[in-house]
Structures are given as C-alpha cells and as structure tokens.
Amino acid sequence: MQERCYDCPRRCGALRPLVLEEGQRGGVCGVGTQPVVARAMLHLWEEPCISGTRGSGAVFFSGCSLGCVFCQNDPISHGRVGESIPLPRLRRIMERLISEGAHNINLVNPTHFTRALGALLEDWRPPVPVVYNTGGYDSPEGLARMEGKVDVYLPDLKYVEAGPAARYSGASDYFAVAREALPRMARQIGESRMDAQGILRRGMIVRHLILPGQHRAAMAVLDWIHDNLPPWVMVSLMCQYLPMGRAQEFREINRRLTSYEYNAVLEHLDKLGMENGYVQERSSAREDYVPAFNLEGLEE
Ligand code: SF4
C-alpha cells in the first residue's frame, strides 16, 4: 500500500510510491521514494576542502522540494532527468567513485530521499566522509535520519526574509525551517577536522549564492551566520549566479551580479571578521562549471 509522504518540510502528504509511473506527478518533489540520480562523477568544482585534488564523489539527485526559479541545476531539480536506482546499485555506484579516488561521497540535493539514504548508510558506512549537500530546507525528522551518518554538512542559507524566499523559491517558510535546521546540523557535527591533505573530514560549510539586487539580503545572511552558528562553521560566499531556469521571467534577477554588489558583500564579510571559509572569483560565473546531467556514471 502506498503511504502519504511527510518526509520534508513541505509535508505535502502526497501518495508517494517507490517509483513513479510514467506521467505520474507525485508530491511537490516530483519523485518516488527510491533515489533518482542524474549523474555520478568526480566533481572538481566544489570548495577545495571538498574537491581536493582527485575530486568529490558527487551523486546528483533529481527532483526537489524547493522551487527556485533560478536553479542552476534546473534540468534535474524540476525537469527531473534521472534514473530511479535501487539501493544496492546506488551503493555500487558510490563504491566505484571511491575506487576512482573520490575524497568523499557528496550527496547533492538529498532532502527528499533521507528515508532511503538513511537506510543505505545504516547498513554501509563508506570509508570516506559523507557530505550532505543541501538547500538548507531540511526538517528535524530528515536530519534525525542522517544523524551519525553524515560527516560534513554543506547547506545553503539562501534567504533570511520570507518575501524573496516566497518569490524565488516558492517557500515563504524557508528561513523558519533553515534557522532551526542549520544549528541542528552544527550540533550533530560538533567540530571541524581537516586532514593533512586539506580535506574536510568532519565539519560544516554554509554556502550563500548572492542574487542580483539582493546584496543587502546577502549581508543579512552573513549577519545571521555570524550571530547564530559556531565559529568553526565555514562560510562559502558564491558569486557564480547565472540567470538559469525560469530566471528570465523575473526581470530583476535576469542578469549577472555586478562587481559593486559583490564587493559590497565582501566588505561586509571582512567587517564581520569572518575569515573561516571561501569566496569565489568572479570568473566562476560560467555555464561550463555546471555539470552536464546526462546519466553518466550510473552504468553497472
Ligand atoms: S519529500 Fe516530496 S512527497 Fe514527501 S513531503 Fe516532501 S515534497 Fe512531499
């Protein structure tokens, strides 16, 4: 019997089978409970302590419970390109990434699959750190399923105001959820530990992608991180925004970030004395830094 799903903060209560049938819509996330994967690859463009020299073992999950109009991974989050993969096969994909040299297993956008991923990692602990790479819209129940199984939390903090969260991500409760979720992640991890190669073995990095016209909002995001998370939590300030997905429907964000906007946020970061983390070069705003979601890396 199919059960109603309340697995993520949307709590939409959709009937959610293991695998959606052709044409079946499912819940807000748009996928069944069995993980749907668009690509598995050694990813070299994450933060240096995640990608290292050999790459992060990234597994890109399809579907999403957020509705970001500017999503940089739109073909998989909303287009839902991907293949539904049983857990034993997913484990073999991860083992292959590790055998190819992955510094970690990087679960990209896992929020709507915490039930399956929690079960997988209950039975098998990879010999490398597990990274939970999320939009920051995670429920207490979802994070409880991952407790003790995640070594590095890599959440976004996209907004601290309901207005832009509703307009650009369809989630006016985004910050209400994230301001509980991020401290919970930090409490689970409790410390930051880097190995001799500069790979993060345990820790947390909060990412913020600055949106055009939202540089003051970005400063408010940094203020919140500064005031509410422990100093060992790193910050990754990102200027790689490109108007992708449905961004062209929103005139004010249908452009790149200006140098003025980015420099203003960098100055604020400096003023707060937040030196633990990363800032991007403006040359990072290039489409070829977005992986092709072509089901590569899923072969048996
Ligand atoms: S995981 Fe998907 S189906 Fe379940 S509550 Fe969230 S959006 Fe709805």
Side-chain angles (χ1 to χ4, degrees), residues 4-16 26-31 64-65 111-113:
R4 294 202 175 274
C5 179
Y6 301 95
D7 279 0
C8 84
R10 286 283 181 196
R11 300 187 58 76
C12 72
L15 287 172
R16 196 179 176 205
V28 173
C29 62
V31 282
C64 191
S65 53
T111 299
H112 44 297
F113 293 124

Side-chain angles (χ1 to χ4, degrees), residues 212-228:
Q214 296 286 319
H215 58 289
R216 291 196 190 286
M219 295 180 201
V221 164
L222 293 177
D223 288 340
W224 186 86
I225 295 170
H226 178 268
D227 294 346
N228 292 279

Side-chain angles (χ1 to χ4, degrees), residues 48 84 89 92 101 104 144 171-172 207 219 263:
S84 187
R89 185 172 155 206
R92 289 197 293 279
N104 42 52
S172 59
R207 286 174 166 169
M219 295 180 201
N263 290 339

